[in-house]
Amino acid sequence: NVTKQYPNASQAAVNDVTFDVGEGETCMLLGTSGSGKTTLLRMVNRLIEPTSGEILMDGRDILKENPIELRRRMGYVIQQVGLFPHMTIAENIRVPGEISGSSSKQQMRERVDQLLKLVGLAPDEYRSRYPRQLSGGQQQRVGLARALSTDPAILLMDEPFGALDAITRARMQQELLNIQRGVRKTVLFVTHDVEEAFRLGDKIAVMSEGRLMQVGSPIELLAHPVNDFVSKLVGADNILRQLEYLPVTTAMVQELSPDAAPRTG
Ligand code: ADP
Ligand code: MG
């Protein structure tokens, strides 16, 4: 039941939202601009405090945790990446670990190389470069490596690929899936891009004007959208998407008994 009311705003940015994300699950927060996605995400690592409601992690209220300690357990990746321009790539990746003071220099050096490999950058070639010497896609990879550097259980991603061209974005999405297959983080991923939500999500939470419209697997949203808004947003009448996501049996049942299931066009 999380709510965030900004001062002087006519309506709550996040309005009585409740859902849960399982361990190792990728949950997409999908909605148009201004629907409250970023506000919701930033409440999870306490960059923003809720007006009311609770956020539990492993059953514990995050508002009772030390915010610095909490953020160390959550990697955070944003569209603007936010690498320090005067630091090398290796130094940028080390930042969260150094703040937490958890590893020796040697451990950190090995960790940086391991992370660079994980995100598809050859360590020898990239560790000593500066951010300006990388493309946008490569910088985003470094941002992901940095977010993973403390080996957090949870990854928060706010439109991380939003500024990339379509081809680079598709490649990054595929690589995130590959990485996720190995590291199995619990991921909360903000996007306004329906294709991205369907490609990456085990679960999609649809937001509109601060409210949670529906949460479910891609198949559930397609087969049983709760209202017109969700139906239109996910393109439930898009026959190609139906063919891609709905199991054949579901499609057949709907075809045979149109009254038994919501109309999907
Ligand atoms: P989204 O990420 O889905 O685009 P946001 O969470 O950024 O949405 O914003 C949700 C609503 O809250 C918008 O109406 C926005 O104008 C408002 N908002 C966001 N941040 C602030 C703030 N710091 N102060 C006041 N209003 C804000
Ligand atoms: Mg946003």
Side-chain angles (χ1 to χ4, degrees), residues 4 6-9 11-14 31-42 48 158-159 190 207 210:
K4 176 65 186 183
Y6 288 112
N8 302 322
Q11 60 178 21
V14 171
T32 51
S33 178
S35 56
K37 308 180 297 295
T38 294
T39 301
L40 190 53
L41 195 73
R42 288 164 69 92
I48 297 174
D158 195 344
E159 313 227 15
V190 164
M207 301 276 300

Side-chain angles (χ1 to χ4, degrees), residues 184-257:
R184 273 279 151 217
K185 303 293 181 190
T186 303
V187 182
L188 260 178
F189 189 120
V190 164
T191 186
H192 63 262
D193 178 343
V194 183
E195 305 301 330
E196 182 164 75
F198 273 79
R199 199 168 295 154
L200 300 181
D202 298 312
K203 186 188 254 186
I204 301 174
V206 179
M207 301 276 300
S208 176
E209 297 183 32
R211 292 188 179 274
L212 180 67
M213 295 281 107
Q214 185 170 5
V215 58
S217 68
I219 289 173
E220 281 161 0
L221 295 193
L222 269 182
H224 305 291
V226 292
N227 56 27
D228 271 4
F229 179 87
V230 175
S231 177
K232 287 209 179 75
L233 183 75
V234 304
D237 54 1
N238 179 332
I239 194 71
L240 285 177
R241 184 167 291 149
Q242 296 248 3
L243 288 172
E244 189 173 355
Y245 287 98
L246 292 182
V248 172
T249 47
T250 312
M252 282 170 63
V253 167
Q254 287 180 3
E255 189 61 33
L256 294 172
S257 55

Side-chain angles (χ1 to χ4, degrees), residues 142-168:
V142 175
L144 181 57
R146 180 184 54 187
L148 292 168
S149 71
T150 57
D151 196 20
I154 296 177
L155 211 48
L156 306 176
M157 308 184 79
D158 195 344
E159 313 227 15
F161 311 143
L164 305 177
D165 63 85
I167 292 170
T168 308

